[in-house]
Amino acid sequence: ATGYLEDVVSLALSSVFGPGYSFKIDYEVKRNQSEATPWIVIDGEKNSPRDEVGGGVLDVASLAMRLALWSLMEPRPAPVFVLDEPGRFLGEEESDEEWTPDQAAFGRMLKELSEMLGLQILLVSHSRSIIECADRAYEVKKTAGISQARQVKSTGD
């Protein structure tokens, strides 16, 4: 399972931040117990998640770790994840016209992990870059206390 967890989290990190990013877990026995130490590896240098690696990096790594651990569960719970504003610590969108590459890469990474692990992701987002990667998107507006949903994107069934 160790190699699998490292592979899934590394895939997510390198998809969003580039090939210099990966994830490693070191194991050692201390006081007759196994201890695991996670590392965010940037350009070959191990960094503790407690170090200044950035909130976006930690968001991506922790989400990928949760998805990978879910995929290892037996029996496995329903293959549906509900996310509220994932990737919020990635680069901000400059305007309605310009998309931040980190958020677009994050959206592609979510889609890739969804397909690879066989799960469905329902998410709420204001990021046009993330929404663009979705198979379906709905805009929800509240008028006079009533929410109205309108489909704004569909890649078909």
Side-chain angles (χ1 to χ4, degrees):
T2 300
Y4 175 74
L5 294 175
E6 289 176 347
D7 289 347
V8 171
V9 178
S10 291
L11 170 70
L13 287 170
S14 64
S15 293
V16 176
F17 300 104
Y21 283 75
S22 63
F23 181 76
K24 175 93 173 103
I25 302 173
D26 287 337
Y27 294 93
E28 62 181 310
V29 177
K30 290 183 178 177
R31 298 175 297 279
N32 292 326
Q33 294 185 343
S34 293
E35 292 187 11
T37 305
W39 299 101
I40 304 294
V41 181
I42 304 172
D43 295 327
E45 183 180 327
K46 289 181 178 177
N47 298 272
S48 169
R50 289 181 222 116
D51 294 340
E52 291 293 319
V53 294
V57 171
L58 294 179
D59 264 3
V60 170
S62 65
L63 175 59
M65 178 67 80
R66 287 191 306 270
L67 296 176
L69 289 171
W70 166 86
S71 73
L72 293 172
M73 294 177 73
E74 288 294 332
R76 188 179 298 161
V80 178
F81 279 77
V82 179
L83 307 176
D84 184 16
E85 294 292 346
R88 67 183 156 272
F89 292 113
L90 296 173
E92 295 291 324
E93 294 181 78
E94 299 297 322
S95 72
D96 287 344
E97 303 302 318
E98 296 180 40
W99 295 349
T100 302
D102 286 345
Q103 289 186 348
F106 181 76
R108 289 189 300 274
M109 179 270 302
L110 285 176
K111 186 169 182 69
E112 185 173 349
L113 286 178
S114 170
E115 292 169 357
M116 182 175 99
L117 301 175
L119 58 94
Q120 182 177 24
I121 297 174
L122 305 174
L123 65 90
V124 174
S125 181
H126 290 90
S127 168
R128 292 180 187 270
S129 301
I130 294 172
I131 293 168
E132 186 59 33
C133 296
D135 291 332
R136 287 198 174 94
Y138 295 85
E139 179 180 58
V140 179
K141 289 188 176 184
K142 193 171 187 177
T143 307
I146 299 172
S147 294
Q148 301 280 329
R150 154 179 97 79
Q151 188 167 358
V152 294
K153 180 181 180 203
S154 176
T155 58
D157 291 307

